[in-house]
Amino acid sequence: MTKNMLSYTGGGLVGLIILILDLIVIFEVINSTRSIQGKIGWSLLVFFFPVVGIIIYFLFSNRAEHNAHYEAIA
């Protein structure tokens, strides 16, 4: 019985890491300067295909161009 419980913790940890990375990507997309269609497209890609979506996003999304740039107030 202990062997069965230990075999499930690896999948749970990997699943948790993928969930955290998905949330990071979705929040980054929402806060970006992309068009609404671009935001919806990237979010749906990552939502429906989590692992492949993250890989495609980090390879082809041109993150530096679409990141919101903040300036200091003072």
Side-chain angles (χ1 to χ4, degrees):
M1 184 152 163
T2 306
K3 280 186 169 182
N4 289 338
M5 290 191 316
L6 291 176
S7 65
Y8 292 123
T9 57
L13 182 61
V14 172
L16 180 64
I17 291 170
I18 291 172
L19 175 66
I20 291 169
L21 289 174
D22 282 344
L23 291 174
I24 289 171
V25 167
I26 289 173
F27 286 130
E28 184 176 305
V29 167
I30 289 172
N31 290 326
S32 70
T33 59
R34 289 180 170 81
S35 66
I36 297 297
Q37 294 86 2
K39 290 180 182 185
I40 291 172
W42 281 114
S43 298
L44 288 176
L45 178 73
V46 171
F47 180 76
F48 286 117
F49 305 103
V51 175
V52 175
I54 290 171
I55 293 169
I56 291 172
Y57 176 75
F58 283 118
L59 290 177
F60 300 112
S61 70
N62 197 6
R63 294 171 54 208
E65 183 180 325
H66 296 289
N67 282 342
H69 299 286
Y70 299 106
E71 295 181 20
I73 294 174

